[in-house]
Amino acid sequence: MKISVRSLAASDKPSWIALWNSYQQFYGVTLPETTTEATWRRLKETTEPIGAFAADDGTSIVGFVHYIFHRSTWMITDTCYLQDLFVQATCRRRGAARTLIDAVYAEADRKGAGQVYWLTHQSNDNGRRLYDKVAVNSGFVLYERFAETNQ
């Protein structure tokens, strides 16, 4: 079955939520329902700097990618952060993740972004095998601090 990539549609919400929950499970987190609803609204709002693509197998969406455009102090053009990428387990190794990344690359090129970057957990061996083929590991280490209201 061929997988195509398209913009995330309003009718995708139930499937997206199921995938979003699986994505959280993959990373061992549980986000509040209010965060999920806010994320969905932002993904569909045309004035937001974020966007999404869906991987579609012809019957339903089987994956998604979310990306955010933002300013940078290191370049004049905007940069694009690929924040979330997920493909359901039964559809992996069929090119969906690569096609989703390529869609973000194309959108970044269309908008004149000077860079696309993302993070993944060091234990994500399958993802990293793909990422090593389509991008350069810069070697940076992530540090983070969450506000108490987000914990």
Side-chain angles (χ1 to χ4, degrees):
M1 203 174 295
K2 185 171 175 11
I3 294 178
S4 61
V5 171
R6 59 174 174 76
S7 293
L8 192 65
S11 61
D12 292 325
K13 185 176 181 182
S15 298
W16 175 85
I17 287 176
L19 289 168
W20 180 244
N21 289 336
S22 294
Y23 178 65
Q24 291 175 57
Q25 185 177 14
F26 177 82
Y27 278 113
V29 299
T30 303
L31 298 174
E33 180 65 28
T34 54
T35 300
T36 295
E37 285 301 317
T39 299
W40 177 258
R41 276 192 316 277
R42 290 172 180 160
L43 290 170
K44 300 311 303 159
E45 178 57 54
T46 58
T47 60
E48 287 283 344
I50 70 173
F53 292 111
D56 190 319
D57 71 357
T59 59
S60 64
I61 64 169
V62 297
F64 62 76
V65 65
H66 305 148
Y67 54 91
I68 303 169
F69 287 97
H70 64 87
R71 301 268 188 224
S72 171
T73 60
W74 286 32
M75 62 187 75
I76 294 170
T77 59
D78 281 352
T79 189
C80 180
Y81 176 51
L82 189 159
Q83 186 164 17
D84 306 304
L85 174 64
F86 184 75
V87 175
Q88 71 184 34
T90 57
C91 294
R92 292 185 186 147
R93 305 185 82 64
R94 293 176 37 200
R98 173 73 182 256
T99 304
L100 287 164
I101 291 169
D102 287 344
V104 173
Y105 282 173
E107 184 68 3
D109 290 346
R110 187 180 76 76
K111 290 194 172 187
Q115 173 192 39
V116 175
Y117 71 102
W118 63 92
L119 304 168
T120 194
H121 195 272
Q122 65 185 5
S123 65
N124 185 2
D125 294 328
N126 289 333
R128 292 180 69 192
R129 275 192 286 282
L130 169 62
Y131 305 156
D132 286 343
K133 294 176 185 173
V134 300
V136 174
N137 180 340
S138 64
F140 278 87
V141 177
L142 171 69
Y143 292 86
E144 53 189 356
R145 180 236 181 219
F146 291 99
E148 288 183 28
T149 57
N150 284 336
Q151 294 182 15

